[in-house]
Amino acid sequence: MGGTFPMRNSPQVLSVPGPNQRPRKKVALKPGFSPLDWARLSASGKDLRGVSELRLISMDEVALHNKRTDCWMVIAGKVYNVTHYLEYHPGGKGELMRAAGRDGTDLFIKTHQWVNAESILRECMIGFCSGPSKNQTAESKEGDSGTQHRDITNNPVPQTKSNTSAL
């Protein structure tokens, strides 16, 4: 099987961004906010969700949570309260805020498709997205691809009476 590491075109290879890509940047995290620190916090039992049970959440409700002190986003049809994770994100709070209050699935895939968001954010999951927002047309005109709800984890989004009636 020979070869060299890293393999050509793998995410480990430093590459120059294409014409339609922003360069990836990492920021210096404050002491105590490394990925290992996040793993410890996630496993600590601390409530990172801020909700008592998982539920269906509309994009209109997600859109209300778009601040650094109250930040939700959708990735692959799942809604996450990432407020606690902001300080731990290797790309910095600003990069994560690009998807605050929105569906960040396409942005996530474009930025780092090799990362398992479900594993990293498991303790931040607060529910499942019930569908596109009422302003889907306006968002689409702005170039927001965040109105599509795709499950990149191959886990089905549970179908309930409230989210299948619109189909």
Side-chain angles (χ1 to χ4, degrees):
M1 180 169 253
T4 60
F5 181 84
M7 293 179 60
R8 190 177 348 170
N9 298 325
S10 80
Q12 291 90 2
V13 174
L14 193 60
S15 63
V16 177
N20 295 329
Q21 293 177 318
R22 290 171 33 144
R24 286 185 62 215
K25 69 171 188 157
K26 291 193 175 191
V27 299
L29 299 172
K30 294 186 280 187
F33 291 93
S34 71
L36 185 56
D37 293 314
W38 174 252
R40 281 190 201 113
L41 179 61
S42 294
S44 72
K46 179 179 177 178
D47 177 19
L48 301 175
R49 291 184 170 108
V51 299
S52 58
E53 60 185 32
L54 298 179
R55 63 185 176 89
L56 287 173
I57 302 169
S58 71
M59 280 305 298
D60 293 322
E61 183 177 355
V62 171
L64 299 174
H65 301 271
N66 60 0
K67 299 169 189 61
R68 290 179 188 233
T69 56
D70 180 25
C71 185
W72 294 7
M73 70 178 54
V74 176
I75 300 176
K78 297 175 182 174
V79 182
Y80 297 95
N81 177 350
V82 296
T83 308
H84 293 286
Y85 182 65
L86 289 172
E87 295 283 342
Y88 296 86
H89 186 258
K93 291 181 242 175
E95 284 298 303
L96 209 53
M97 290 301 295
R98 292 174 61 201
R102 300 171 44 187
D103 186 338
T105 304
D106 290 340
L107 180 61
F108 179 84
I109 292 169
K110 181 180 172 184
T111 307
H112 36 49
Q113 63 191 14
W114 61 91
V115 175
N116 184 336
E118 185 176 0
S119 174
I120 293 170
L121 298 174
R122 178 174 288 119
E123 298 304 317
C124 298
M125 186 177 159
I126 58 175
F128 299 92
C129 187
S130 63
S133 74
K134 293 174 185 171
N135 298 324
Q136 179 178 1
T137 307
E139 290 172 354
S140 298
K141 287 179 183 174
E142 293 173 13
D144 177 11
S145 59
T147 56
Q148 299 170 1
H149 304 282
R150 296 185 293 146
D151 187 346
I152 58 173
T153 61
N154 294 323
N155 294 330
V157 175
Q159 296 297 309
T160 66
K161 194 172 193 175
S162 63
N163 73 352
T164 56
S165 60
L167 296 177

